[in-house]
Amino acid sequence: GTRAHKVEGSWGMRPALSSLARSGQRLSAATPALRGFTRTGFTVYTRTGDKGKSSLFNGERRRKDDVVFDALGAVDELSAAIGLARAHCEEGAAGCAKEEAVEASVAPAPGPAGLRWLLPQLEGAQRLLLDVGSAIATPQTSSSEKHLQRVGIDGAAEASVLEARIDTMDAQLPPLTVFILPGGGAPAAALHMSRAVCRRSERCVVPLVEAGDCPAEVGVYLNRLSDYFFVAARYAAASAGHAEERRGDDKAGPATGQV
């Protein structure tokens, strides 16, 4: 493959890259012992995946259509979708000074400050998804204790953080009793896309959890993250001054379909 995070044609470097992302280190400053890195960065093409197989963190080689890589690909796509949402939110918040959204725990009234308030949360989600990928790329049934100790995610704690953010945004929004159409401006539409990709990521993880290959906490986090994106999309639409497009009142039904 050609993805930058697939060093040496492998997903096995994700835990190392995840650690670097959390610490904010430059990749070029990483230890020379990291396979595939050079003094100026790392190679994008490696040719080791040209025959349709790639490596997991534990060194195991699997076909690229394996269920583990399906889940990894979905999480990778999710991070890219969040990146697009970040870009749209940043553009929408261009006229808002950073000082207008300084309280991290309470959502400001919908407006440009609200879009700016979302930005660090979206970046944090992208960083945490590196940890999610590391956990997925280290199957519990075939990995050593040494490998397993280097990966993981506190899904319950992260879910609690997301729930608090959901509640503070929801307090700024009108009650929802019917389905809404994804849209409401570029930031909201991108967050709806992130929600949909997050749901797919969760579906890909479910069989891995059931097989004992992935921690259940990963599924918990992805489930709550998709709920967060739904409410964040509504909040972003309100912040951009867009009215929600609702399904007609003559067609009664649940508001979101969220579970």
Side-chain angles (χ1 to χ4, degrees):
T2 60
R3 294 180 182 140
H5 53 254
K6 290 177 59 180
V7 180
E8 289 290 313
S10 165
W11 289 81
M13 291 304 299
R14 288 183 71 93
L17 297 182
S18 173
S19 177
L20 289 172
R22 289 195 303 273
S23 67
Q25 279 184 267
R26 289 171 53 99
L27 291 178
S28 57
T31 171
L34 292 180
R35 182 162 53 96
F37 282 81
T38 69
R39 291 185 181 277
T40 58
F42 56 90
T43 58
V44 174
Y45 61 91
T46 61
R47 303 190 181 95
T48 59
D50 288 351
K51 294 184 179 180
K53 290 187 176 182
S54 191
S55 296
L56 301 177
F57 177 47
N58 60 8
E60 182 182 355
R61 298 283 293 180
R62 293 195 185 187
R63 287 169 52 97
K64 292 186 177 182
D65 57 1
D66 187 270
V67 290
V68 171
F69 289 115
D70 280 343
L72 287 169
V75 169
D76 185 28
E77 187 176 343
L78 172 57
S79 185
I82 297 171
L84 182 61
R86 281 180 61 193
H88 285 307
C89 286
E90 188 167 10
E91 183 176 344
C96 169
K98 292 183 179 180
E99 293 74 14
E100 293 183 46
V102 293
E103 178 55 62
S105 61
V106 180
L115 295 176
R116 184 168 295 284
W117 181 77
L118 290 172
L119 288 174
Q121 300 172 24
L122 298 178
E123 179 182 353
Q126 286 182 299
R127 292 182 182 277
L128 197 54
L129 286 175
L130 288 173
D131 292 335
V132 168
S134 296
I136 294 171
T138 313
Q140 296 180 127
T141 59
S142 59
S143 299
S144 68
E145 188 63 27
K146 178 181 178 181
H147 284 120
L148 291 173
Q149 288 177 350
R150 294 186 59 189
V151 301
I153 177 177
D154 191 343
E158 297 298 340
S160 294
V161 171
L162 291 172
E163 287 168 3
R165 292 171 179 169
I166 289 171
D167 291 342
T168 188
M169 286 188 290
D170 210 32
Q172 301 279 357
L173 299 170
L176 188 62
T177 58
V178 295
F179 279 110
I180 61 172
L181 302 181
L191 287 164
H192 275 299
M193 178 61 72
S194 297
R195 171 186 57 81
V197 179
C198 190
R199 282 298 188 196
R200 174 152 50 83
S201 299
E202 182 190 1
R203 292 195 298 272
C204 289
V205 163
V206 167
L208 300 180
V209 173
E210 291 181 343
D213 277 330
C214 182
E217 289 82 357
V218 169
V220 171
Y221 172 68
L222 290 174
N223 186 28
R224 205 68 77 257
L225 184 61
S226 63
D227 294 333
Y228 164 83
F229 283 132
F230 177 77
V231 180
R234 294 192 66 210
Y235 180 71
S239 293
H242 288 272
E244 293 178 326
E245 296 183 77
R246 303 189 177 199
R247 189 172 70 167
D249 293 336
D250 58 320
K251 298 179 179 179
T256 67
Q258 300 294 292
V259 178

